[in-house]
Amino acid sequence: MSYQPEIQTLIEKYTQASAYQELHWEGTMAQYVEMVTQSPRILRNAFQRIYDMIISCGVEEYTENKEKLFRYRFFSDPDNGGKDAVYGLEKPLMHLVNIFKSASRHYGTERRVLLLHGPVGSAKSTIVRLLKKGLESYSKTRDGAVYTFAWHLTDDKGETVVETCPMHEEPLHLIPKEIRIALIKGLNAGLNDGVKINVDGDLCPFCRFNFRNLMHKYAGDLIRVFDHVSVHRLVLSEQDRIGIGTFQPKDEKNQDSTELTGDLNYRKIATYGSDSDPRAFNFDGEFNVANRGLIEFVEVLKLDVAFLYDLLGASQEHVIKPKKFPQTDIDEVIIGHTNEPEYKKLQNNEFMEALRDRTVKIDVPYITRLSDELKIYQKDYKPEKVQGKHIAPHTLEMAAMWATLSRLEEPKKANLTLLQKLKLYNGKTLPGYTEENIKELKDNAEREGMEGISPRYIQDKISNALVSEDADGCVNPFMVLNMLESGLDHHSLIKSEEQKKRFKELLTVVKDEYAEITKNEVQRAICADEEAIKRLCANYIDNIKAYTQKEKVKN
């Protein structure tokens, strides 16, 4: 089939860029052992791989209020042009990356459930989505290469059947522990970056069944067993359910724990004659498919208690319990996200102490720096996205200012207003306030950013203003601020009249600030125009003359 030259060129470029042959490498067990001997990093576990993935994108060190911070370029979503970029959350992201770092060194956090906790719309889901997309991309690079294996078996008809390990596990699980320990010890001796390789665990029930049968057939000859094994490269993919799993709560009648750990295949029971035969079991639960990568629990604390029990063994012992089979090893990062009401419920539930003890909470608050909040709306409402509508200067800034003010706690210093506090946080200087004072302000406001107006509400009202009949080709700050105010009466998350009153008062503060900004800009514009200054001066003199001569000046 022939294509147009332009299409043909694009197809050829894609074929070259996709590196299909490299991503679908296949070899023998001996070749794989040789490969890991030369590059032990291939054997990294899920936590080590995610940490290396984040660091590989680059780290920027900077100082804010005399505090050393790190900004990880990975969370600016460089591979997708910043589509899912996270702004203004450097400290929570540092906390998260430090957990991955300690887990990669086997300091204990690899045996925990990571729980992103914060108000609605604070980018918890976005952070997890970045990790999942990043893992997919990283597994396609040479540094992020992951491998698994398949069995080449003979069926009753004498034909060769290829069966891939259903849990995509590490090929070295096929090597008996006695040999494996010696091999890993030799590999770790050559590593000098502080990270050590551990290949823990055993074969899944399906692979253990095949391994045991072949060992029996060949009287324990491991080399001949390996002749039935081929190793191939693994590309992680959420869509293909390879290495990335997602579990979302449903109503209690429509879900059970088999969604996490797999279920019996009743059609195959008739073929193999037993429901405890691993060939008659589907290892397709979310824990199974997420092996070697990451599993996300959406609104994790809304899960039924029976599901939360599965998390205990999966996090602490790195094992799951499929129905009618022994505990099965897994290697994956377990990360969930939840809102404050559900977390409080967990704290008050004395029966869930075991889960609380195995959980590391990472607070993900709202943005409290105006310039970072503004970036969200500038990204969403670029000129090319608003279809010919003009957004007047300061429109997005005023909306962002109101949202940020709603999240700040009232300053305890009597001579400091909330607006001045916002400006200090945004890098402005005020007489009498040093970097230590600003750090003290932040330290004294422990819950700052955990309440307030969500960016989603702002986005909804800006969108309403853009499509309203009053817009007429242009949207200005007053239109958006009026939209924000009118929507407060129907805001589903405003709990009290007192809260609504406070938000309306903050809108007045923002309107006054906009008036000041406009006044200053007009004055600067006049000062920059010599002719305008001359006209103003002449007009002033004319008015003085008219006043002294008791005359009137015509405008």
Side-chain angles (χ1 to χ4, degrees):
M1 184 184 291
S2 60
Y3 299 96
Q4 294 178 353
E6 296 85 357
I7 302 297
Q8 183 71 28
T9 303
L10 290 172
I11 291 172
E12 289 172 358
K13 280 184 179 179
Y14 170 79
T15 303
Q16 293 168 2
S18 66
Y20 186 88
Q21 296 297 331
E22 186 175 350
L23 294 179
H24 291 77
W25 178 90
E26 189 173 325
T28 64
M29 192 67 184
Q31 288 174 315
Y32 180 69
V33 172
E34 178 65 26
M35 194 186 300
V36 298
T37 304
Q38 295 174 2
S39 180
R41 283 166 52 86
I42 292 171
L43 300 176
R44 289 169 296 174
N45 64 29
F47 279 97
Q48 291 171 330
R49 199 171 292 110
I50 288 181
Y51 177 69
D52 288 347
M53 169 191 75
I54 294 170
I55 298 302
S56 68
C57 289
V59 185
E60 176 192 344
E61 184 180 329
Y62 69 103
T63 304
E64 186 179 278
N65 304 326
K66 294 193 174 180
E67 185 178 9
K68 187 167 77 170
L69 300 173
F70 295 96
R71 187 177 287 118
Y72 298 96
R73 190 167 175 264
F74 172 83
F75 294 103
S76 62
D77 197 16
D79 291 341
N80 297 285
K83 182 182 176 184
D84 280 328
V86 176
Y87 304 111
L89 295 176
E90 283 78 15
K91 282 192 175 180
L93 293 175
M94 277 177 59
H95 184 193
L96 178 63
V97 175
N98 283 339
I99 289 169
F100 285 128
K101 184 176 182 179
S102 65
S104 71
R105 284 158 169 72
H106 307 285
Y107 292 160
T109 48
E110 74 277 7
R111 296 192 294 271
R112 303 290 179 266
V113 176
L114 308 186
L115 182 64
L116 303 183
H117 162 262
V120 293
S122 62
K124 302 183 296 295
S125 300
T126 304
I127 291 169
V128 180
R129 187 161 62 248
L130 280 169
L131 291 173
K132 293 196 292 188
K133 289 195 307 182
L135 265 178
E136 291 185 10
S137 300
Y138 191 59
S139 70
K140 295 176 184 177
T141 66
R142 288 189 180 181
D143 286 341
V146 192
Y147 295 86
T148 187
F149 63 91
W151 296 98
H152 295 254
L153 306 170
T154 305
D155 64 9
D156 296 337
K157 298 176 182 177
E159 297 178 358
T160 301
V161 178
V162 180
E163 296 277 7
T164 300
C165 170
M167 292 183 60
H168 310 294
E169 57 191 314
E170 165 59 48
L172 287 196
H173 282 177
L174 290 162
I175 297 179
K177 286 185 179 179
E178 297 80 4
I179 305 173
R180 198 193 316 166
I181 290 170
L183 173 62
I184 299 303
K185 187 177 179 181
L187 294 177
N188 280 328
L191 296 175
N192 54 11
D193 58 356
V195 177
K196 298 301 180 185
I197 300 298
N198 283 346
V199 182
D200 298 319
D202 210 338
L203 292 169
C204 71
F206 177 82
C207 295
R208 188 174 182 79
F209 177 86
N210 290 329
F211 183 81
R212 190 171 61 243
N213 285 349
L214 289 170
M215 285 289 280
H216 179 73
K217 179 179 178 180
Y218 295 119
D221 189 339
L222 197 59
I223 301 299
R224 294 188 69 186
V225 172
F226 286 163
D227 288 340
H228 289 268
V229 174
S230 66
V231 179
H232 61 266
R233 182 133 176 212
L234 188 68
V235 176
L236 306 188
S237 168
E238 183 176 17
Q239 293 294 320
D240 297 329
R241 302 189 77 216
I242 298 174
I244 298 173
T246 304
F247 190 80
Q248 192 164 345
K250 306 178 187 71
D251 66 277
E252 294 178 10
K253 293 179 182 178
N254 293 328
Q255 65 178 17
D256 57 54
S257 60
T258 58
E259 290 188 47
L260 288 175
T261 55
D263 199 5
L264 291 167
N265 187 329
Y266 291 98
R267 289 191 303 171
K268 289 186 177 180
I269 292 175
T271 304
Y272 298 113
S274 170
D275 59 1
S276 60
D277 190 313
R279 294 171 296 177
F281 192 86
N282 291 332
F283 293 91
D284 59 356
E286 293 303 323
F287 275 133
N288 305 105
V289 302
N291 194 38
R292 313 296 301 284
L294 177 148
I295 181 169
E296 173 192 10
F297 281 87
V298 179
E299 297 293 346
V300 59
L301 298 183
K302 287 181 180 174
L303 288 171
D304 186 67
V305 175
F307 289 88
L308 296 178
Y309 289 141
D310 284 320
L311 284 172
L312 301 182
S315 58
Q316 181 71 27
E317 310 299 335
H318 286 197
V319 294
I320 57 174
K321 179 67 176 67
K323 188 190 296 184
K324 291 185 177 287
F325 290 99
Q327 289 186 322
T328 302
D329 294 290
I330 56 171
D331 167 29
E332 59 199 68
V333 173
I334 303 170
I335 187 165
H337 41 92
T338 190
N339 299 325
E340 197 158 28
E342 280 79 22
Y343 187 73
K344 285 181 179 176
K345 201 186 299 180
L346 173 69
Q347 286 181 309
N348 296 328
N349 188 344
E350 60 183 22
F351 298 107
M352 294 310 295
E353 284 185 6
L355 180 63
R356 289 205 304 272
D357 192 47
R358 289 168 169 83
T359 300
V360 176
K361 179 169 72 79
I362 301 118
D363 284 330
V364 184
Y366 286 134
I367 294 169
T368 54
R369 179 191 275 266
L370 174 60
S371 58
D372 290 325
E373 181 75 8
L374 181 57
K375 288 174 185 174
I376 296 174
Y377 312 125
Q378 288 174 334
K379 177 184 71 175
D380 290 340
Y381 301 103
K382 295 176 182 177
E384 60 268 24
K385 280 189 174 184
V386 293
Q387 299 179 356
K389 292 285 178 77
H390 174 67
I391 298 178
H394 302 297
T395 302
L396 301 179
E397 183 185 351
M398 293 304 105
M401 181 179 289
W402 179 66
T404 310
L405 281 171
S406 74
R407 303 162 188 169
L408 300 182
E409 293 183 14
E410 289 290 339
K412 294 175 183 176
K413 294 182 181 290
N415 61 339
L416 185 70
T417 67
L418 197 64
L419 184 63
Q420 287 174 323
K421 185 181 184 182
L422 177 138
K423 290 179 179 179
L424 284 172
Y425 281 12
N426 202 39
K428 297 288 175 73
T429 55
L430 287 176
Y433 284 91
T434 61
E435 289 187 346
E436 285 88 350
N437 296 136
I438 298 169
K439 188 176 184 301
E440 186 184 344
L441 281 172
K442 291 181 177 179
D443 292 341
N444 289 338
E446 293 180 4
R447 283 191 49 79
E448 205 158 58
M450 298 303 285
E451 294 178 350
I453 294 294
S454 162
R456 290 185 189 135
Y457 178 75
I458 305 294
Q459 290 164 330
D460 291 345
K461 299 310 169 188
I462 293 172
S463 300
N464 288 350
L466 282 166
V467 298
S468 70
E469 294 177 2
D470 298 334
D472 195 26
C474 180
V475 174
N476 61 48
F478 290 113
M479 292 172 63
V480 172
L481 292 175
N482 289 339
M483 283 280 184
L484 293 171
E485 185 170 7
S486 63
L488 288 175
D489 293 327
H490 312 289
H491 198 300
S492 58
L493 298 178
I494 292 180
K495 301 169 186 174
S496 64
E497 286 297 319
E498 186 181 340
Q499 198 177 30
K500 189 190 297 182
K501 182 184 174 185
R502 178 177 181 264
F503 291 156
K504 289 187 176 181
E505 288 171 354
L506 292 177
L507 278 167
T508 305
V509 172
V510 172
K511 287 176 182 177
D512 292 343
E513 179 64 12
Y514 176 58
E516 283 297 314
I517 290 171
T518 309
K519 193 190 300 180
N520 291 336
E521 289 195 349
V522 170
Q523 288 173 349
R524 283 202 303 272
I526 290 171
C527 292
D529 186 349
E530 242 180 86
E531 291 300 320
I533 294 172
K534 287 177 183 177
R535 287 195 300 273
L536 189 65
C537 186
N539 188 30
Y540 179 67
I541 292 168
D542 288 345
N543 276 274
I544 290 176
K545 280 182 182 178
Y547 178 76
T548 54
Q549 296 172 9
K550 297 182 179 180
E551 295 176 353
K552 285 187 177 180
V553 177
K554 278 189 177 183
N555 191 338

